[in-house]
Amino acid sequence: MGLLCFPLVSLVIHSFCYNKDKQTKYRTLHCNLFFWSFEAMANPRLRGWRKWAKKDWAIAAVGFTIILFALTLLFDSRNPTSSSSSSTFNLPSNHHLIPLTLLHRAKATGAFCLDGSLPGYHFQKGFGSGSNNWLLHIEGGGWCNSIETCEIRKRTALGSSKYMDLLIPFDGILSHQSSQNPDFYNWNIVKMRYCDGASLAGHPESEFKNGTKLFLRGQLIWEAIMSELLSLGLSKAKQALLTGCSAGGLATLIHCDDFRAHLPKDATVKCLADAGFFLDEPDILGNRTMSNFYHDVVQLQGVAKSLHKECITEMEPSKIQHILVPAGSDPDGYWRRCRLSIQKCDSTQIENLQGFRSSLLKALSKLQHDKEGGMFINSCFVHCQTWMAETWHSSNSPRINNKTIAESVGDWYFNRKVTKEIDCPYPCNPTCYHMDFTQPS
């Protein structure tokens, strides 16, 4: 069947263009105060999107629109090694944490993290009726757009497996508990760790030959992990879902076609991007901060080589980051409290945010009339909602029309019903989960 993609928005969104073979290609938009998931079906009716003005498109990225995206960087000195082709760090059978597997076969292809360490993933085997189904989730965590920022990043878990947690919990869409993840709980579930700083799309040809020790190998990491998973049973998948959050949502869009191409022709294959799509909107001072930032990412890491040729011939292969209120556009701190908590926004700031919401809905207007497309756009002040139990599926999860995100995604994936869930404007939804960064953790 055709390739489908169902992006989720947390004040963030994305979109696509299509090639002659009707395979999904992508462009992106950006927003942050909503959460949507839409599927990009290989559908000729959507080709009209390509007639939009260039200002309406951008190649997706990650982060908060209003919230300044904050990364928690864990500086851990652990550096596990093993002589096997992939190292798995074991844990007690009664524990619900999932061990890190380092990809030793990546050495052969030079698929390294920014610092030259091995890439990794976490894998929980499926069971029962889900034994032949696979869900791959790509970790998010922003990008680095210069030698300096990549040098900093390579000393964190987002640039080196030396600092990655050896054991992590699988919650939300990754959970093996049916109460938390009703449709995918018994699937083979993989979390791909993110350590290249360019949404798994960097290329070694862009590495510097002047002594700078940075490995820009994101595309090779994607290919190496896919190769390993295919050998573990992904090649025989009957149903598969590629998903990711933020920068991982962008990676989902970039690699969606390739993911489909590796799987059986009769398999049901869809892609879900959570908070990985951005509107190309100016910030509060009218600057194109996001576009400039992502232009640097594309140039530094040679990302254009991972993008579809037909897309990049129509526009520059860049444009992203914190859109509405980047720190540099708010020198007097007027937006500081509002960026950290929507409940601290005054009426003028809320009006600005609602204008951003209107731009998002306008950009998605064509998709709303496509039967195969799916979306879930809520008015909650939170970034990434698929991997947390609190927002994915629980008694307190955000709902639209009394449906959680998990229920809506399940309806879309299994074709139970058309899914076009659009929330009313903030603050009308009492089920919202709002993050508050002004409170101590």
Side-chain angles (χ1 to χ4, degrees), residues 11 32-34 65-66 284 324-325 329-330 332-357 381 426:
L11 255 111
N32 237 19
L33 221 182
F34 316 96
T65 297
I66 313 139
I284 54 175
L324 191 58
V325 194
S329 297
D330 187 35
D332 298 325
Y334 169 63
W335 280 85
R336 184 180 65 84
R337 287 169 59 80
C338 180
R339 284 204 308 263
L340 299 177
S341 172
I342 196 169
Q343 296 176 345
K344 305 296 192 300
C345 299
D346 61 32
S347 58
T348 300
Q349 291 167 331
I350 290 294
E351 184 177 352
N352 274 284
L353 300 185
Q354 300 297 16
F356 206 67
R357 175 181 184 273
F381 196 70
Y426 173 86

Side-chain angles (χ1 to χ4, degrees), residues 211-270:
T212 301
K213 294 183 178 180
L214 286 173
F215 293 83
L216 309 179
R217 312 280 178 96
Q219 179 66 37
L220 293 178
I221 292 174
W222 161 260
E223 293 171 0
I225 294 181
M226 278 294 295
S227 177
E228 171 128 325
L229 297 179
L230 287 166
S231 71
L232 294 177
L234 177 60
S235 62
K236 299 179 181 179
K238 295 185 180 302
Q239 294 177 310
L241 177 63
L242 177 64
T243 179
C245 155
S246 199
L250 171 57
T252 297
L253 298 178
I254 291 174
H255 297 296
C256 191
D257 281 347
D258 185 64
F259 181 64
R260 202 296 154 249
H262 280 88
L263 302 184
K265 293 182 179 180
D266 60 348
T268 298
V269 182
K270 303 187 181 185

Side-chain angles (χ1 to χ4, degrees), residues 27 39 92 123 243 250:
R27 297 282 185 78
E39 93 190 55
F123 173 49
T243 179
L250 171 57

Side-chain angles (χ1 to χ4, degrees), residues 143-400:
W143 313 270
C144 55
N145 67 330
S146 66
I147 295 177
E148 293 74 21
T149 57
C150 288
E151 284 285 348
I152 294 172
R153 188 183 182 97
K154 79 176 189 180
R155 293 175 175 84
T156 76
L158 291 171
S160 170
S161 59
K162 296 177 182 179
Y163 304 102
M164 293 177 183
D165 287 337
L166 303 185
L167 303 171
I168 64 169
F170 269 17
D171 293 317
I173 197 172
L174 305 178
S175 175
H176 260 355
Q177 298 179 32
S178 59
S179 60
Q180 186 180 147
N181 191 21
D183 284 307
F184 309 107
Y185 72 94
N186 62 352
W187 288 27
N188 295 284
I189 297 178
V190 178
K191 180 171 182 176
M192 301 171 66
R193 299 304 296 265
Y194 175 41
C195 65
D196 76 300
S199 291
L200 298 182
H203 286 260
E205 294 84 357
S206 297
E207 291 174 0
F208 298 91
K209 310 301 181 183
N210 59 0
T212 301
K213 294 183 178 180
L214 286 173
F215 293 83
L216 309 179
R217 312 280 178 96
Q219 179 66 37
L220 293 178
I221 292 174
W222 161 260
E223 293 171 0
I225 294 181
M226 278 294 295
S227 177
E228 171 128 325
L229 297 179
L230 287 166
S231 71
L232 294 177
L234 177 60
S235 62
K236 299 179 181 179
K238 295 185 180 302
Q239 294 177 310
L241 177 63
L242 177 64
T243 179
C245 155
S246 199
L250 171 57
T252 297
L253 298 178
I254 291 174
H255 297 296
C256 191
D257 281 347
D258 185 64
F259 181 64
R260 202 296 154 249
H262 280 88
L263 302 184
K265 293 182 179 180
D266 60 348
T268 298
V269 182
K270 303 187 181 185
C271 300
L272 176 141
D274 175 4
F277 202 84
F278 298 72
L279 284 168
D280 184 17
E281 292 283 311
D283 61 30
I284 54 175
L285 294 183
N287 298 323
R288 296 282 176 176
T289 303
M290 184 182 100
S291 297
N292 294 333
F293 177 94
Y294 207 66
H295 175 270
D296 293 342
V297 176
V298 170
Q299 295 300 313
L300 178 70
Q301 298 225 31
V303 173
K305 295 178 182 178
S306 289
L307 306 181
H308 293 279
K309 299 298 184 291
E310 188 175 335
C311 284
I312 62 177
T313 56
E314 294 183 14
M315 66 173 296
E316 183 181 353
S318 62
K319 301 180 179 175
I320 314 211
Q321 240 271 329
H322 310 313
I323 298 178
L324 191 58
V325 194
S329 297
D330 187 35
D332 298 325
Y334 169 63
W335 280 85
R336 184 180 65 84
R337 287 169 59 80
C338 180
R339 284 204 308 263
L340 299 177
S341 172
I342 196 169
Q343 296 176 345
K344 305 296 192 300
C345 299
D346 61 32
S347 58
T348 300
Q349 291 167 331
I350 290 294
E351 184 177 352
N352 274 284
L353 300 185
Q354 300 297 16
F356 206 67
R357 175 181 184 273
S358 297
S359 296
L360 167 64
L361 296 180
K362 179 181 178 181
L364 292 176
S365 60
K366 291 184 181 296
L367 183 62
Q368 293 176 33
H369 301 292
D370 179 73
K371 292 183 179 180
E372 274 83 22
M375 61 180 70
F376 188 101
I377 307 176
N378 67 23
S379 297
C380 304
F381 196 70
V382 59
H383 185 63
C384 292
Q385 300 183 68
T386 53
W387 60 274
M388 295 188 297
E390 295 85 353
T391 49
W392 174 245
H393 187 71
S394 72
S395 59
N396 298 317
S397 291
R399 284 169 166 75
I400 300 179

